[in-house]
Amino acid sequence: MTTHAPQATHHTASAGATQPAGLEVFTFGEPEPISRLRLLDYVEAMFNGRWYEPPFPLEGLASAFRASPHHGSAIYLKRNILTAAFIPHPLLSRETFKAFALDFLVFGNGYLEGRRAVTGRTMRFEHALSRYTRRGKDNRYFYVPSWNEEHEFPAHQVFHLREPDINQELYGLPEYLSALQSALLNESATMFRRRYYENGSHAGFIMYLSDGSVGNADVETLREQLRRAKGPGNFRNLFVHAPNGKPDGLKLIPVSEVAAKDDFSAIKNASMADVLAAHRVPPGLLGIIPNNTGGFGNAKEALGVFMENEIAPLQTLFETLNDWAGDEVVRFEPYQPGGQGAS
């Protein structure tokens, strides 16, 4: 959605009155698009004649997966714990479950295709990428890796594990969506600081020149020197000689002073706290160094609470495959505090 600046309105001055100088008003930056997080409350999964389109862009979730180190690390931690406790089954290998679990945690949807023999017996389960899998009517499923490629899975051979959504019942949505903007803010802050140090192409100040003793040739020379100071190696000094010049004829007015007050560390810490709260992961389990003397407490106790409140419910979700398959395909080793799982 784009906004337009209001049109200037001119008023005719009375006879003999001095016409004031025109006032120019402008805004900083470009129009921002409406966040699709809010649009989720007003739209549903659209049916294109073959399958339903996801209510949220899956390519956006895929790219945001590595936007923040805390976001990606929290998902990998859950995936690794689930995979380590998973007991392989002849129908479902550990590698397949690992990919299946990662897809579910990132997209809120996980798909397994049951490959069957001619007799109808399930030989094994294969993982179907959630980013390209679509759901049609009557539980039909399609694999759409590109706009001109599609493959329809055989009927009743795709198991769909989804994180329930309050707005529609076709696709799942990941739990961390409320912290997605914080993860992107973390990435933006890092990229801005990196560009700042790489090329320094930001607007650092305004040079205000009002001294009449400086001629046009001197102004051009000054402009050329400022242009050369931009880019790599821009932190250099500039000498200006203006005989009989006014004390305030040349001023430097910083325009990035407000941005300088924006503490980089505060942005990183605040966005990190939002992401970890959405994932419900103790910071000590991600290798984060505490800023206070008290630290994060006992790591083993934090792990025990995390296993009980977060990993155990996830294991229960994955075990729903057993009801669909009619066999105990998904099993996990019990967690033993202070030691390894039972063999």
Side-chain angles (χ1 to χ4, degrees), residues 50-133:
R50 296 279 286 165
W51 57 78
Y52 293 96
E53 297 292 344
F56 196 86
L58 300 184
E59 64 275 5
L61 293 178
S63 61
F65 174 50
R66 295 177 176 87
S68 163
H70 314 103
H71 175 53
S73 182
I75 293 178
Y76 276 131
L77 174 66
K78 295 180 182 180
R79 191 276 313 267
N80 291 341
I81 294 178
L82 288 168
T83 304
F86 174 74
I87 301 176
H89 189 275
L91 298 180
L92 184 62
S93 66
R94 188 186 300 273
E95 192 67 22
T96 302
F97 175 81
K98 183 179 180 180
F100 174 59
L102 181 62
D103 258 11
F104 176 76
L105 295 173
V106 173
F107 299 102
N109 297 277
Y111 302 92
L112 288 175
E113 178 192 4
R115 299 286 178 86
R116 296 180 180 177
V118 292
T119 59
R121 179 181 59 87
T122 301
M123 298 184 298
R124 67 183 183 277
F125 286 101
E126 293 290 345
H127 167 238
L129 290 173
S130 298
R131 180 173 177 176
Y132 306 113
T133 304

Side-chain angles (χ1 to χ4, degrees), residues 5-55:
Q7 300 294 329
T9 304
H10 301 279
H11 301 278
T12 304
S14 58
T18 302
Q19 181 70 21
L23 177 64
E24 182 180 357
V25 180
F26 61 94
T27 59
F28 293 93
E30 298 296 330
E32 292 290 338
I34 296 178
S35 172
R36 290 199 63 178
L37 292 175
R38 294 183 179 179
L39 290 180
L40 287 175
D41 297 333
Y42 304 99
V43 300
E44 58 183 9
M46 182 187 67
F47 184 68
N48 64 8
R50 296 279 286 165
W51 57 78
Y52 293 96
E53 297 292 344

Side-chain angles (χ1 to χ4, degrees), residues 73-214:
S73 182
I75 293 178
Y76 276 131
L77 174 66
K78 295 180 182 180
R79 191 276 313 267
N80 291 341
I81 294 178
L82 288 168
T83 304
F86 174 74
I87 301 176
H89 189 275
L91 298 180
L92 184 62
S93 66
R94 188 186 300 273
E95 192 67 22
T96 302
F97 175 81
K98 183 179 180 180
F100 174 59
L102 181 62
D103 258 11
F104 176 76
L105 295 173
V106 173
F107 299 102
N109 297 277
Y111 302 92
L112 288 175
E113 178 192 4
R115 299 286 178 86
R116 296 180 180 177
V118 292
T119 59
R121 179 181 59 87
T122 301
M123 298 184 298
R124 67 183 183 277
F125 286 101
E126 293 290 345
H127 167 238
L129 290 173
S130 298
R131 180 173 177 176
Y132 306 113
T133 304
R134 300 293 182 266
R135 180 173 180 174
K137 290 186 177 181
D138 301 324
N139 284 329
R140 297 168 62 194
Y141 288 89
F142 300 83
Y143 187 75
V144 191
S146 63
W147 65 272
N148 59 348
E149 294 182 55
E150 69 173 75
H151 164 72
E152 183 175 357
F153 293 102
H156 309 294
Q157 289 188 207
V158 175
F159 171 72
H160 182 189
L161 179 66
R162 66 184 186 90
E163 188 65 51
D165 178 40
I166 61 174
N167 294 308
Q168 45 80 38
E169 70 282 357
L170 298 172
Y171 291 99
L173 288 178
E175 297 179 345
Y176 61 79
L177 277 185
S178 58
L180 190 57
Q181 296 294 345
S182 295
L184 297 177
L185 173 62
N186 192 296
E187 179 190 35
S188 298
T190 302
M191 293 301 299
F192 174 81
R193 185 57 61 96
R194 181 169 175 237
R195 292 181 183 133
Y196 181 95
Y197 283 111
E198 275 189 348
N199 51 44
S201 60
H202 57 286
F205 60 85
I206 295 176
M207 179 171 284
Y208 178 66
L209 180 62
S210 61
D211 195 340
S213 63
V214 181

